[in-house]
Amino acid sequence: MAQTDSVKSPTGAADVTALDPARDGIPEPFLSQPIRYIDRTRAWYQALGYEPYRWPTFDTVPFQPLRKPLADSRLALITTAAPIRPDAGDQGPGAAYNGAAKFFEVYSSPVDDPADVRISHIGYDRHHSTAEDPNTWLPLPRLHEAIAAGRLGSLAPRFHGVPTLRSPRTTMSEHAPDIVARCQADDVDVALLVPV
Amino acid sequence: MSLVSRALEEAGIPTVVLGAAKDIVEHVGVARFAFSDVPLGNSAGLPHDAESQRSALECALTLLETAPGPRTTWQTPLRWNGGDHEWKRDFNNLGQLDAEAIARQRASFEEQKARARGANA
């Protein structure tokens, strides 16, 4: 708690979650703010001896207005979760980080007979979450309910998985166009993306 | 995933991102972002809590319908542990990294990089 006096007011919040929590402490008022993952990850990579990962950023953001009511729309669900592979070690609830479970190409899986997709290949919060319930990252049952209730028109026949390879260039040049093509082939009206 | 959202929007498909890393998604910049202030891995709802999962999805769907323009962020109603924020202290906490953990993390990271390079070759 030696350096908590460096955090004096909410105006100092810009850096507070970049602090080392064990060393510096985080006063409760700042804990109510969202975690600053970019700062924490940069500090983490530096501690491991790597250059910090640089997330891309853009001056402009594309925006497509809704074309028709959701009740008449076909939705594509997109995930970063990975289909379980028998040869890739422990991928179930509570599994340690498992790089072998990563995938490297876009995949698709039928929404009516979905692959069992898990998140052991991703740095999710393992302290506070055991990844037992796939509904926390793949809301397929909830989407089926929304369709039954008339809230949403329909689901595309398959959902899609996007690799997480820490390469924005590969995502932009290969995976994103692949996803776009698959969504166009399925004639979807809207897309729900749930990153783990 | 934010990059995929951007590509879909550019192709004329409206999107909404339902995610938990607020700063990252907003740094990249997306059309619509439903933010869940919960540990990574739970942005679509709390485990074994269908009602919370419905509330997160409904937030995302309503955002799809009503966002006035790009970079619209809403927060879903999800509350972890009833609103206790203690979980935020622990993610990538450098205070919990000893030499052995650093070596283990480095080995894992190097293996991933090698595999990623192989896949992209």
Side-chain angles (χ1 to χ4, degrees):
Chain A
M1 297 290 165
Q3 296 180 24
T4 49
D5 62 352
S6 67
V7 181
K8 290 173 180 166
S9 74
T11 58
D15 295 314
V16 70
T17 60
L19 298 176
D20 173 351
R23 187 192 64 213
D24 303 316
I26 298 177
E28 179 59 31
F30 298 113
L31 273 186
S32 65
Q33 301 293 314
I35 291 180
R36 296 176 63 91
Y37 288 100
I38 292 175
D39 292 340
R40 281 207 200 180
T41 305
R42 181 180 296 128
W44 181 262
Y45 274 50
Q46 282 173 344
L48 294 179
Y50 293 109
E51 289 293 309
Y53 179 81
R54 301 179 78 89
W55 278 273
T57 187
F58 304 88
D59 290 335
T60 60
V61 177
F63 182 85
Q64 175 65 46
L66 215 58
R67 288 179 295 200
K68 50 176 146 172
L70 272 187
D72 301 326
S73 292
R74 174 182 287 185
L75 181 142
L77 176 62
I78 301 169
T79 182
T80 52
I84 282 193
R85 293 205 324 269
D87 60 336
D90 187 5
Q91 299 152 74
Y97 179 82
N98 184 350
K102 277 193 178 287
F103 57 100
F104 301 92
E105 305 291 340
V106 169
Y107 72 86
S108 299
S109 176
V111 294
D112 291 330
D113 184 21
D116 186 1
V117 298
R118 299 284 167 162
I119 62 175
S120 69
H121 62 301
I122 289 178
Y124 70 90
D125 189 333
R126 286 174 166 78
H127 282 278
H128 297 280
S129 187
T130 55
E132 291 173 1
D133 181 2
N135 293 305
T136 67
W137 60 85
L138 194 82
L140 269 181
R142 303 291 86 84
L143 284 165
H144 285 303
E145 288 174 3
I147 291 163
R151 178 75 176 96
L152 179 67
S154 62
L155 270 179
R158 48 193 185 156
F159 71 91
H160 309 293
V162 185
T164 51
L165 302 180
R166 298 193 178 92
S167 167
R169 190 175 52 189
T170 304
T171 303
M172 284 190 281
S173 66
E174 297 175 24
H175 302 149
D178 194 342
I179 292 286
V180 169
R182 291 175 195 231
C183 287
Q184 288 172 333
D186 290 346
D187 197 23
V188 309
D189 300 300
V190 295
L192 168 64
L193 301 92
V194 187
V196 176
Chain B
M1 199 64 130
S2 300
L3 296 170
V4 176
S5 166
R6 294 175 55 92
L8 286 164
E9 294 278 344
E10 283 168 356
I13 298 174
T15 66
V16 60
V17 175
L18 177 56
K22 186 168 191 282
D23 60 331
I24 293 173
V25 175
E26 293 183 339
H27 178 83
V28 179
V30 300
R32 305 168 191 80
F33 175 32
F35 163 61
S36 296
D37 197 10
V38 297
L40 295 181
N42 299 278
S43 63
L46 308 183
H48 310 299
D49 182 344
E51 197 50 51
S52 81
Q53 295 159 10
R54 286 184 198 104
S55 74
L57 176 61
E58 179 55 32
C59 178
L61 293 178
T62 308
L63 179 54
L64 256 179
E65 297 174 308
T66 58
R71 292 191 187 276
T72 302
T73 297
W74 284 5
Q75 186 160 337
T76 71
L78 300 189
R79 297 175 79 80
W80 194 257
N81 273 348
D84 176 8
H85 295 289
E86 284 298 315
W87 60 272
K88 295 181 185 175
R89 292 189 195 277
D90 297 329
F91 189 83
N92 277 5
N93 183 339
L94 289 172
Q96 297 168 358
L97 258 192
D98 56 19
E100 186 189 341
I102 288 176
R104 201 165 53 235
Q105 291 278 342
R106 279 189 67 99
S108 168
F109 194 73
E110 288 299 325
E111 180 195 341
Q112 289 168 46
K113 283 206 301 189
R115 287 177 60 100
R117 274 197 299 269
N120 291 331

